[in-house]
Amino acid sequence: MSFTSWAAPHFLLEDLPPSLPGGHNQPSLSAWPSPVVPLGGRVTLRCHSHARFVFLKIIKTVRSHISEFHKGPFKKSFMIKRVTTAHAGIYRCSGAHTRIHPVWSAVSDPLEIVVTGVFTKPSISAHPSSLVHPGSSVTLHCLSELDFDKFILHKKGITQHFQLPAKIIHAGLPYTQANFSIDTMTPTDAGTYTCYGSLSHYPCEWSAPSDPLDIVITGQYQKPSLSTQMGPMVGSGENVTLSCSSKTPFDKYHLSREGEARDHWLSGWQSHNGTFQVHVPLGTANPFHGGTYRCYGSFKGSPYEWSSPSDLLNLSVTGNQPMGAFVICLLTEAGPPQGQYHKPDILIGLSGVIISIGIFLSVLIGYWCSIKNRKSKTGEDNIT
């Protein structure tokens, strides 16, 4: 399924009764602020008509059961103050000009009221990444430990929903999953997504929404550059600050570490010879700061459209740290920045790793030998 055109059908509706007699002046029914309502929330049903009706009837359909939800003097708005699962269903409204022997108008088009929060929320993730290059593909995975029959995908700002049947997957514990694919990424596909789960017997009762997931399209503007003032290796305990700069006056810069995006607002950008930059403090250096970083730029008016990524920045921490913390010099994909860092720096770093490992192994072997000698001496004393 591709979301490029957003041409997927709206969520499936149950069979509804035919229009009632009096097909003139058909009203319309809407829900404010939304027909998708959290459990315990409130919603207002609004029946709109140009005719001067004096009597109103709201019809509710749940599966094959039809009932009159409300009947009384006509008023444009009807509020449900506290929504429960009993309010989930499909609604239509009709009006009449007289109270005695009323002749009802044609019913409005159906309006589906969905109640969310009935089940535990699923999770949503993007593969291979939530940062997508134009024309590339990305798959959104909706996943739950509950035995849902289908998953519903929602994009913020869009009234349509996409749904797919859930597949049961056994990997240790069984869980259900649905995969929504964007085949060719365009700016219209970028945005905030959430997913829900539901059961076929209760199609208007959904789970709580998943945590939101931002899908961002990159490559929309010229790439910025990412650097650090600390040199080729960052010592443990030193304060680490990354600098993202560009010739484009972006409103916002984004720092991404190994595919996980973190946003940093540009607070008081500075211009040096036509260059704009922002400093991102990481705090006191420790081995967990080591990793691969990139930065991007964007504008407030199009928050899901980012620049091309900066060249890679491989950051590492050296010094007094646990064994296993690796030492790699600070480099970018384009090579040593401005000719400051050279191959001898890399050799020095690797030499430090080799020496540290040698010392650790020597201590380990010495400790093992001392234990063995103690055991041998104890055995001799027992024989004596």
Side-chain angles (χ1 to χ4, degrees), residues 202-213:
Y202 305 97
C204 296
E205 298 178 19
W206 294 0
S207 70
S210 67
D211 292 333
L213 174 66

Side-chain angles (χ1 to χ4, degrees), residues 132-134 186-188 190 216-225 244-254 294-311:
V132 191
H133 192 71
T186 67
T188 57
V216 172
I217 185 169
T218 62
Q220 301 302 292
Y221 316 104
Q222 187 177 4
K223 69 180 180 181
S225 62
C244 192
S245 59
S246 68
K247 293 184 178 180
T248 304
F250 292 118
D251 296 320
K252 192 175 184 181
Y253 286 92
H254 312 261
R294 292 177 185 255
C295 76
Y296 303 78
S298 69
F299 295 99
K300 293 180 181 178
S302 50
Y304 302 107
E305 299 178 17
W306 292 6
S307 69
S308 296
S310 67
D311 292 331

Side-chain angles (χ1 to χ4, degrees), residues 107-316:
V107 295
S108 66
D109 292 331
L111 172 69
E112 186 176 38
I113 297 297
V114 173
V115 179
T116 66
V118 180
F119 313 106
T120 305
K121 67 180 180 181
S123 63
I124 186 172
S125 59
H127 296 274
S129 172
S130 60
L131 306 180
V132 191
H133 192 71
S136 299
S137 63
V138 62
T139 300
L140 306 185
H141 295 314
C142 292
L143 181 70
S144 176
E145 295 179 355
L146 300 181
D147 191 15
F148 289 129
D149 295 314
K150 67 178 179 181
F151 286 96
I152 302 96
L153 184 69
H154 170 68
K155 182 187 176 187
K156 184 178 179 180
I158 301 295
T159 57
Q160 287 180 312
H161 298 80
F162 290 88
Q163 66 176 10
L164 283 177
K167 296 180 180 180
I168 299 178
I169 299 175
H170 294 272
L173 294 175
Y175 59 90
T176 53
Q177 176 177 304
N179 300 326
F180 298 84
S181 297
I182 300 177
D183 298 326
T184 305
M185 185 69 180
T186 67
T188 57
D189 298 313
T192 300
Y193 291 82
T194 52
C195 70
Y196 303 80
S198 74
L199 302 174
S200 58
H201 294 299
Y202 305 97
C204 296
E205 298 178 19
W206 294 0
S207 70
S210 67
D211 292 333
L213 174 66
D214 290 341
I215 299 297
V216 172
I217 185 169
T218 62
Q220 301 302 292
Y221 316 104
Q222 187 177 4
K223 69 180 180 181
S225 62
L226 183 62
S227 61
T228 179
Q229 299 174 350
M230 302 303 296
M233 292 183 292
V234 179
S236 180
E238 294 184 85
N239 289 325
V240 182
T241 298
L242 302 183
S243 298
C244 192
S245 59
S246 68
K247 293 184 178 180
T248 304
F250 292 118
D251 296 320
K252 192 175 184 181
Y253 286 92
H254 312 261
L255 183 65
S256 173
R257 179 177 181 233
E258 298 176 349
E260 296 181 359
R262 301 188 307 178
D263 294 345
H264 295 271
W265 282 98
L266 177 61
S267 56
W269 44 261
Q270 299 175 348
S271 178
H272 298 284
N273 299 325
T275 299
F276 302 88
Q277 64 180 2
V278 62
H279 300 296
V280 184
L282 299 184
T284 304
N286 62 64
F288 298 102
H289 285 127
T292 302
Y293 293 83
R294 292 177 185 255
C295 76
Y296 303 78
S298 69
F299 295 99
K300 293 180 181 178
S302 50
Y304 302 107
E305 299 178 17
W306 292 6
S307 69
S308 296
S310 67
D311 292 331
L312 284 174
L313 186 65
N314 294 313
L315 183 65
S316 61

Side-chain angles (χ1 to χ4, degrees), residues 26 31 67 126 219 226 380:
Q26 180 187 27
S67 61
L226 183 62
E380 291 174 359

